[in-house]
Amino acid sequence: MTDLDSYSRQLEGFRASDEARERLVSEIIEKYKHLFEEHAILKNDYSSERDIRRNYQRAVDEQKQAVIDYKRQLESSSFVLALIDGDGAIFQDALLQAASGDGGSEAASRLYHAIRNHVASLHSNSGNWPVMVQVYLSLDKLAVKLAQVGLLRTPTELRSFAQRFCVNQPLFSIIDVGQGKERADHKIKEMLRTFSDNPTCRHIIFGGCHDAGYLLNLEHFKHNEQKAAQITLLETTPAYRGFADLPAHFKRARFDSVFKSEPLPESTPSTFVSTSTVFIPAGSAPPQPSQSPALYRSTTNPSPRPFVFSPAATTPPSSVTGGSTDSNGDASWAIVGKTGAAPNGNISIAPSTKNKKKKYAYYNREEQRLDEPLPPRDATAAKALDERMHRTGKKMCNHWHLGGHCENGKFCQFQHEPKLTNAELNALRYKTRSLGCKNRYCDNIDCYLGHQCALERDYGKCVYPDSCHLRMTHGMDKVKYVRYDKDGNAEHGIA
């Protein structure tokens, strides 16, 4: 029995040992399984990180190559841009009056070398940068002025000058903006805004320092030293004082071999008719262009017409010139008034002295159109106008009554006749002013639509903030900054 008990105890010990060993082995297997899973996860993470690192390095290498390519392309496509307001920056007299007629080509060559030398002094790597020049001007208007002051024999010479200027350099252009209020300004301002953010435009020569209207556009750059350093202020005629107050970050230059340093004179006695009476013997032939440049008007370009002198009242040209008229029906050199006949039978072509109130269009600093207040409205006239429209069932034709012309003629669906009285015309202007013009920068000096809310202008607040036809103008700057006449001449400081 003693041996059996000993064997039983030993067997129990063996069983306990086997269970402990089994638990140990199971525990080891479980830990191995857990470690294996962690290893697999870490291995995948490592592989992922390795791939990310390799992709990142590949991307970095590609970006470095892209930067190198971009710099190469930037350098190869870099250029210098000159924006010049040709209405104020006038070429040298010798260039305009070149005997060979090649002054435009010479002007382009001088300007090219002047710009090239100036840019080379600022950028050491500018040797291969092309130079683009754009001169904006009203060709006909400037040609007339240059002829009046004796710098051109005839206005047509300026067109020839411009053609030769453009041919000399492939990237040089003289752009005719036509007649109108400061059209060159609008072009230059937009070009300046566009190319100042263009990385391939490495430097800008700005030739408009004679005009204070550009100051507001340059204000955007004066606190950005890098951008300001990429702009050179080209001074031709004396610069407006505001340009001198701009920071020193802006570069400054003068090209005196190309542009005049003094503005054009108002007039030259030898090249335009005096305001004193001029008499032509009856039956004599009109003077030829070579005899008096100021009386010459090209028949190939009948507009504008500054060389036609017209008294207040006129008679058909045939009564004076024997019926000889140009293709426009005007006298080929002058229109003569009925009252121009002198007691001795001679005929006066002196300009009319009758004064006529000059029209202006007003603008604020943002170049938004402002409206002048209308005369007080006559209640009786306004009522009569409303009753007439109600009675006929037709509204007034604004183009006919306010603009003086209607293209639809007798087919117009609005009223033309009878004519309105002055009081009724004023009442009609009040009606049309309540309709907003689509162009807040309108340059039509005779536009009869509204450009700002009259209630807000006159009383400081509009009582119809949500339904006002001119609510888009609420809050606009109401201070007059500049005004323009019908020829586009600007006057500042009129507030």
Side-chain angles (χ1 to χ4, degrees):
M1 291 297 295
T2 303
D3 292 337
L4 289 174
D5 292 337
S6 175
Y7 292 151
S8 296
R9 288 195 295 272
Q10 290 182 18
L11 181 59
E12 289 296 330
F14 290 152
R15 287 175 177 172
S17 177
D18 291 341
E19 290 177 357
R21 183 174 61 252
E22 184 176 353
R23 286 195 301 271
L24 178 61
V25 172
S26 298
E27 185 178 350
I28 291 173
I29 293 174
E30 188 66 28
K31 287 183 178 181
Y32 174 76
K33 181 180 179 181
H34 180 69
L35 291 172
F36 183 81
E37 291 175 351
E38 286 188 348
H39 175 267
I41 294 174
L42 291 174
K43 182 179 179 181
N44 291 336
D45 290 345
Y46 170 76
S47 299
S48 177
E49 289 292 333
R50 180 190 60 193
D51 293 341
I52 291 174
R53 177 64 182 176
R54 289 177 178 175
N55 292 336
Y56 171 77
Q57 189 62 45
R58 187 182 303 112
V60 169
D61 294 339
E62 291 175 353
Q63 290 297 322
K64 287 182 178 179
Q65 187 60 43
V67 170
I68 294 174
D69 294 340
Y70 173 77
K71 288 182 177 179
R72 186 182 299 113
Q73 293 174 3
L74 180 63
E75 190 63 31
S76 63
S77 59
S78 294
F79 66 95
V80 178
L81 175 64
L83 299 173
I84 299 174
D85 187 338
D87 289 332
I90 309 299
F91 290 98
Q92 283 283 357
D93 297 0
L95 297 175
L96 293 171
Q97 298 174 325
S100 63
D102 206 28
S105 179
E106 175 66 19
S109 295
R110 291 188 186 182
L111 182 57
Y112 175 82
H113 291 296
I115 293 175
R116 176 68 71 194
N117 293 336
H118 174 72
V119 174
S121 68
L122 303 175
H123 304 274
S124 59
N125 58 338
S126 64
N128 296 324
W129 294 352
V131 176
M132 180 186 299
V133 172
Q134 295 189 347
V135 182
Y136 295 91
L137 50 77
S138 176
L139 193 67
D140 291 336
K141 181 179 177 182
L142 181 61
V144 167
K145 179 64 176 177
L146 293 175
Q148 285 179 337
V149 300
L151 293 180
L152 297 178
R153 289 183 293 274
T154 64
T156 55
E157 289 185 347
L158 185 60
R159 190 169 296 277
S160 176
F161 177 94
Q163 291 171 347
R164 292 176 180 270
F165 179 90
C166 298
V167 169
N168 182 274
Q169 295 292 328
L171 296 180
F172 280 30
S173 301
I174 291 182
I175 301 169
D176 181 11
V177 298
Q179 297 284 353
K181 179 194 74 66
E182 297 296 308
R183 293 187 179 182
D185 290 33
H186 289 297
K187 291 281 189 181
I188 292 176
K189 290 173 183 177
E190 185 61 21
M191 292 291 287
L192 179 64
R193 184 194 66 80
T194 300
F195 282 96
S196 62
D197 293 326
N198 188 332
T200 61
C201 183
R202 306 298 292 275
H203 203 83
I204 296 177
I205 309 292
F206 176 77
C209 297
H210 56 276
D211 189 342
Y214 294 113
L215 280 173
L216 188 63
N217 299 84
L218 294 173
E219 288 282 327
H220 301 311
F221 306 108
K222 73 176 186 178
H223 298 299
N224 188 328
E225 183 175 351
Q226 182 178 1
K227 280 195 173 183
Q230 294 176 349
I231 298 176
T232 290
L233 303 178
L234 174 61
E235 182 178 349
T236 54
T237 56
Y240 188 80
R241 60 180 180 273
F243 289 93
D245 298 331
L246 291 174
H249 308 318
F250 290 95
K251 308 303 179 184
R252 287 170 168 79
R254 294 186 60 90
F255 300 156
D256 289 331
S257 64
V258 183
F259 297 105
K260 291 171 62 67
S261 59
E262 296 296 331
L264 292 174
E266 288 299 320
S267 60
T268 301
S270 62
T271 58
F272 74 101
V273 176
S274 170
T275 56
S276 60
T277 303
V278 179
F279 295 103
I280 305 290
S284 62
Q288 298 301 313
S290 60
Q291 295 172 306
S292 180
L295 290 177
Y296 173 70
R297 177 164 61 87
S298 172
T299 58
T300 60
N301 187 17
S303 177
R305 309 183 180 203
F307 294 107
V308 179
F309 295 92
S310 175
T314 62
T315 190
S318 59
S319 64
V320 177
T321 62
S324 175
T325 60
D326 67 5
S327 59
N328 243 14
D330 297 330
S332 61
W333 61 284
I335 298 176
V336 184
K338 292 181 180 178
T339 59
N344 60 2
N346 293 335
I347 298 172
S348 169
I349 60 168
S352 170
T353 57
K354 179 181 286 188
N355 292 326
K356 192 174 183 179
K357 186 176 181 181
K358 199 171 184 179
K359 290 184 179 180
Y360 292 98
Y362 293 84
Y363 298 82
N364 60 20
R365 280 185 175 270
E366 298 295 327
E367 297 185 359
Q368 296 167 332
R369 179 76 172 264
L370 302 175
D371 291 329
E372 282 283 84
L374 294 171
R377 178 169 40 187
D378 182 88
T380 303
K383 182 179 179 181
L385 187 66
D386 291 336
E387 289 177 349
R388 174 175 164 179
M389 290 190 290
H390 179 74
R391 183 176 63 254
T392 61
K394 289 184 177 181
K395 295 182 178 180
M396 296 293 112
C397 177
N398 298 328
H399 297 300
W400 177 260
H401 293 288
L402 300 179
H405 176 70
C406 176
E407 295 182 354
N408 296 322
K410 64 180 180 179
F411 300 104
C412 180
Q413 58 181 327
F414 301 107
Q415 293 190 57
H416 283 192
E417 299 296 340
K419 292 183 178 180
L420 300 178
T421 65
N422 289 335
E424 290 173 337
L425 284 173
N426 190 51
L428 182 59
R429 289 191 182 94
Y430 269 92
K431 287 183 176 294
T432 57
R433 280 281 185 92
S434 67
L435 303 175
C437 178
K438 294 181 180 180
N439 184 6
R440 296 187 66 184
Y441 308 93
C442 176
D443 60 1
N444 179 6
I445 199 169
D446 294 315
C447 182
Y448 44 75
L449 298 175
H451 304 91
Q452 68 178 128
C453 175
L455 290 175
E456 188 185 53
R457 179 196 62 209
D458 299 335
Y459 303 104
K461 182 179 180 181
C462 178
V463 295
Y464 310 105
D466 299 324
S467 58
C468 177
H469 291 300
L470 291 155
R471 57 184 176 275
M472 76 290 295
T473 70
H474 291 171
M476 71 182 290
D477 181 8
K478 298 185 288 293
V479 178
K480 297 174 183 175
Y481 176 67
V482 62
R483 71 179 183 182
Y484 298 92
D485 60 21
K486 66 178 182 179
D487 297 321
N489 299 311
E491 292 183 23
H492 292 82
I494 47 90

